[in-house]
Amino acid sequence: MKVIVTGGNGFLGRWVVKALQKAGHQTTSLDVAGDGGIHVDLEIYSHTRSALAQIMPGVIIHLAALAGATGKGGGAESMKSPHAYFKVNTMAALNVFEACRELNIKKVICMSSFSPYGKAFCPITERTPLNPLNAYGGSKVNVETIAKVYARAYGIKTLIFRAPLICGEGQKEMNAIREFVSCAVKGEPIVIWGDGSTVREFVHPSDVARAYLLGLRYLEEMKEPYNTFVLGNTPVMMRDLAREVVHTVGKGSVKFLADKPKLFDQFTKRTKVELKLGWVPKTGVKQIIERVPREMMVVT
């Protein structure tokens, strides 16, 4: 199958492209930066349409978005530049779906995140209300809205995946695992707010890529205009995560800030994706910590 991956030169995109190619799909990356594929600014509609018309894929996997940076994740970074996050992420999705409408491309898999949930009652499911706390989360809500409208109005069958924090080899964006490993490698204490009972989930990019492969099969027989799936993994408390990092790295310590409030929990109930797609994560948190190269974790 011909597949276009927007943002295919990014962290997750590289894992997805590799998995698609290994599965025998004819895969092309569209990205504004990086090596390989076709360089396209998805904010410019004519460029987007031209690139899609050149390939005429059977499916588009839309990953392209402003995310995080070496220092912080997408939510924190978007607090500095809300206009940029809303503009880039919203326009890229709108241009992709509009080009699909004009070119009669009928299948899209769209990447969202947990950011649209904000502080949500757990466990999180596909029915959990969206309540974004920053521009990154808000822009992802916009992306989902565009996807659903084009699916209903123009028959573009669409899957939307919401994933927790994605962490793996070759990553630049910061997250808790990267921060903890960075501290441990440098022999600094890992600082935990409160008693460390905050619960989060982390998923490896290879598992996310496998969800897309299963999604391609599901799209072939899907009857509804669109469907949404929550991905997840085994929940872990921050104190247990920190201790596992110290154990794996072989040095470091954990420091609790008792005067700081506990952060909000985020963990899932992934029954739907298991039943409909047959997807379960294969890489646990301990394996993620072991597999992420330590040199990538050190923040300079």
Side-chain angles (χ1 to χ4, degrees), residues 19 35-36 50 68 79 83 110 113 151-152 164 184 187 239 260:
D35 299 324
S50 176
M79 295 295 287
H83 181 269
C110 199
S113 78
R152 290 193 193 103
R239 62 189 179 212
K260 296 293 185 179

Side-chain angles (χ1 to χ4, degrees), residues 48-282:
T48 304
R49 189 188 189 283
S50 176
L52 267 59
Q54 177 182 338
I55 305 298
M56 287 304 294
V59 180
I60 294 174
I61 295 179
H62 180 53
L63 306 180
L66 273 183
T70 303
K72 292 291 183 182
E77 289 295 307
S78 74
M79 295 295 287
K80 304 174 187 177
S81 307
H83 181 269
Y85 274 77
F86 272 113
K87 179 175 180 289
V88 172
N89 294 350
T90 302
M91 287 306 302
L94 182 59
N95 286 343
V96 166
F97 275 94
E98 176 63 9
C100 285
R101 182 186 71 83
E102 288 198 341
L103 297 170
N104 201 34
I105 297 169
K106 290 297 187 180
K107 297 186 181 72
V108 177
I109 301 179
C110 199
M111 187 62 182
S112 188
S113 78
F114 272 19
S115 290
Y117 288 123
K119 295 181 180 179
F121 179 80
C122 292
I124 289 170
T125 72
E126 291 79 7
R127 294 181 177 274
T128 300
L130 304 182
N131 185 32
L133 302 176
N134 50 58
Y136 177 68
S139 72
K140 286 295 189 178
V141 174
N142 287 355
V143 170
E144 290 196 22
T145 300
I146 290 166
K148 293 172 183 177
V149 168
Y150 274 80
R152 290 193 193 103
Y154 304 109
I156 301 172
K157 287 186 177 181
T158 302
L159 295 183
I160 298 168
F161 285 97
R162 298 176 187 147
L165 293 165
I166 302 172
C167 186
E169 301 93 314
Q171 188 174 23
K172 295 180 180 180
E173 181 178 339
M174 190 56 72
N175 54 51
I177 290 180
R178 286 173 53 85
E179 290 178 359
F180 289 3
V181 174
S182 175
C183 289
V185 167
K186 292 184 288 188
E188 299 175 353
I190 297 171
V191 178
I192 303 289
W193 281 32
D195 64 358
S197 61
T198 298
V199 177
R200 293 293 165 88
E201 288 183 358
F202 300 85
V203 64
H204 193 269
S206 62
D207 282 324
V208 179
R210 189 161 43 81
Y212 284 120
L213 290 175
L214 294 169
L216 291 178
R217 298 178 192 172
Y218 185 81
L219 274 173
E220 293 299 317
E221 299 181 358
M222 188 173 79
K223 305 301 181 185
E224 59 270 35
Y226 68 87
N227 214 329
T228 303
F229 292 102
V230 167
L231 308 180
N233 208 336
T234 302
V236 59
M237 289 187 182
M238 289 297 98
R239 62 189 179 212
D240 295 332
L241 179 67
R243 288 164 180 160
E244 184 62 41
V245 166
V246 170
H247 173 74
T248 300
V249 173
K251 61 179 178 178
S253 60
V254 183
K255 178 181 178 181
F256 294 92
L257 300 180
D259 60 328
K260 296 293 185 179
K262 172 184 172 178
L263 301 177
F264 62 89
D265 295 332
Q266 274 194 331
F267 58 92
T268 64
K269 183 178 181 182
R270 57 178 190 273
T271 305
K272 181 179 176 181
V273 72
E274 290 183 12
L275 290 175
K276 288 188 173 291
L277 297 190
W279 181 90
V280 293
K282 294 183 177 180

